[in-house]
Amino acid sequence: MIVREYEKDGSTGHKVPLMLMGGIIAISLALTASVTLGFMPKQSVPAEARAAAGIKADAERTLRFFDEPDGTVRIEDGATGEVLARHGVGEGGFIRATVRSLVHQRRIRGQGAEVPFTLTRWENGGLTLFDPVTRRGVEVSSFGPDNRAVYADLLPDAEAAR
């Protein structure tokens, strides 16, 4: 239909981009259908892959995150209230981003900050920041060694976490 509109105007140069866009859409739909119908394997869910492999938690700590009036993010141990780290304005961008995404999910559900998040180091070296309220988590290790190290430092025995 769109191609015919261009033909009426005498402009035929736009057919190729339209056909390419249609091809991309068709390929995307075919790939999606092939995964949905089981012709191609789905990507593994990290929690399911760990359970299937029998990987257990190596270290764990509950964490609470607070925004202070000056823009600093304060991180406390969820059990003891011990201040573990502070990230001033312009610092701790990865922590800010990951926590904001999880907090956003809590707000959507009308939940507050009563329940702390859980940071887990797995036997295979992976790190997960998990929200027990929304049952969502972030595989911190997937974001590279520098970002992983920021969270690894929050665990007890931080040297073993690196």
Side-chain angles (χ1 to χ4, degrees), residues 6-26:
Y6 285 114
E7 288 174 352
K8 287 180 185 175
D9 294 343
S11 173
T12 58
H14 299 291
K15 285 183 182 179
V16 173
L18 287 173
M19 290 171 35
L20 289 173
M21 286 188 286
I24 290 171
I25 291 169

Side-chain angles (χ1 to χ4, degrees), residues 71-84:
T72 299
V73 172
R74 183 179 77 243
I75 305 168
E76 294 182 359
D77 183 294
T80 66
E82 171 191 0
V83 176
L84 302 172

Side-chain angles (χ1 to χ4, degrees), residues 92-149:
F94 181 63
I95 286 183
R96 290 174 191 270
T98 52
V99 172
R100 280 194 182 126
S101 69
L102 293 173
V103 168
H104 177 71
Q105 293 299 318
R106 282 189 179 191
R107 285 189 184 139
I108 288 172
R109 291 166 176 76
Q111 301 294 319
E114 300 81 25
V115 178
F117 297 94
T118 304
L119 180 63
T120 305
R121 180 179 64 229
W122 302 99
E123 291 174 333
N124 66 353
L127 282 176
T128 305
L129 181 64
F130 181 74
D131 182 3
V133 173
T134 63
R135 312 287 303 160
R136 292 181 181 257
V138 176
E139 296 298 321
V140 177
S141 298
S142 300
F143 294 93
D146 293 339
N147 290 324
R148 184 190 183 288

